Amino acid sequence: KMLDELGVERIEAGMPVVSKEDREAVELILGAGLKAEIWGFCRAVKGDIEACADVGVKNVIVEIATSHYKMKAYNYTPEWVLGRVVESLQYAKSRGLYTAFFAVDATRADLGYLESIYRKAVEEGKADEVVIVDTLGVATPETMFYLTKKLRQWVGVPIMTHCHSDFGLATACTLSSVKGGAECAHGTINGLGEKTGNADLAE
């Protein structure tokens, strides 16, 4: 409620599929009468998307690994990932959801592959928005500016930016990404979050 009063326009409530408690938390946030858009987070998995739709979330972020490092860790192939992205996004659209494609570890992905997956997400998966993602916080501000500019050339939908602070650069990288064309910046209270956290809302 305090974030809503501050004027935060979007609040990611979590992943309803994770547990009964997470589902209940998302339901409480949805029922709090906030002005902000409430978003759910999903893997590119039908069950995750169903859980968001069933709880009443209208906006979802759909994530999947896009770098060869992450794909290798999960035993994914590039071709399989491309198919899963399109399939998952199309299913989310069939459930009436507003979608954003979240390319995990985008800053370590092959640039050509990154272009193809973002294009497919929008052109075939009908993603409403896309997210440029520095999962391991390895990008410099210049990199985020460059990749966001590239992404703006590849797709015509709004861009979000999501930076981690493994090397203390999440806020700088986020600002550079906004300069490069991102319309929405992901942030967290005091920078808290997974691993080293994300861009600090206060900063």
Side-chain angles (χ1 to χ4, degrees), residues 9-165:
E9 295 173 333
R10 295 177 172 184
I11 297 174
E12 186 187 297
M15 294 178 72
V17 77
V18 169
S19 67
K20 177 176 175 284
E21 291 78 13
D22 281 77
R23 181 186 177 92
E24 289 173 352
V26 175
E27 288 174 338
L28 286 169
I29 294 169
L30 283 168
L34 306 180
K35 296 186 291 292
E37 290 179 357
I38 307 304
W39 286 65
F41 196 82
C42 323
R43 296 165 298 177
V45 175
K46 187 176 180 181
D48 287 26
I49 295 165
E50 285 177 343
C52 279
D54 292 345
V55 83
V57 170
K58 301 298 182 188
N59 310 283
V60 293
I61 287 175
V62 179
E63 69 152 12
I64 199 164
T66 58
S67 72
H68 71 276
Y69 303 105
K70 287 286 186 183
M71 283 189 267
K72 183 179 179 182
Y74 295 121
N75 290 317
Y76 295 165
T77 65
E79 295 73 25
W80 183 87
V81 169
L82 285 170
R84 177 55 69 91
V85 165
V86 172
E87 178 185 323
S88 300
L89 289 168
Q90 286 179 347
Y91 178 69
K93 297 306 292 183
S94 77
R95 293 297 305 264
L97 299 171
Y98 184 89
T99 60
F101 170 60
F102 188 98
V104 174
D105 207 18
T107 54
R108 296 196 304 164
D110 173 81
L111 197 60
Y113 183 76
L114 203 60
E115 178 178 0
S116 65
I117 199 166
Y118 275 120
R119 285 187 183 277
K120 275 190 174 290
V122 173
E123 294 166 10
E124 297 179 36
K126 304 304 178 186
D128 298 290
E129 300 191 19
V130 293
V131 192
I132 184 72
V133 188
D134 187 26
T135 303
L136 297 185
V138 295
T140 63
E142 293 83 2
T143 300
M144 289 305 295
F145 179 81
Y146 174 80
L147 288 176
T148 308
K149 290 279 281 187
K150 282 288 186 185
L151 185 51
R152 170 52 58 236
Q153 294 169 11
W154 299 337
V155 299
V157 299
I159 298 171
M160 302 188 205
T161 184
H162 180 97
C163 300
H164 281 267
S165 202

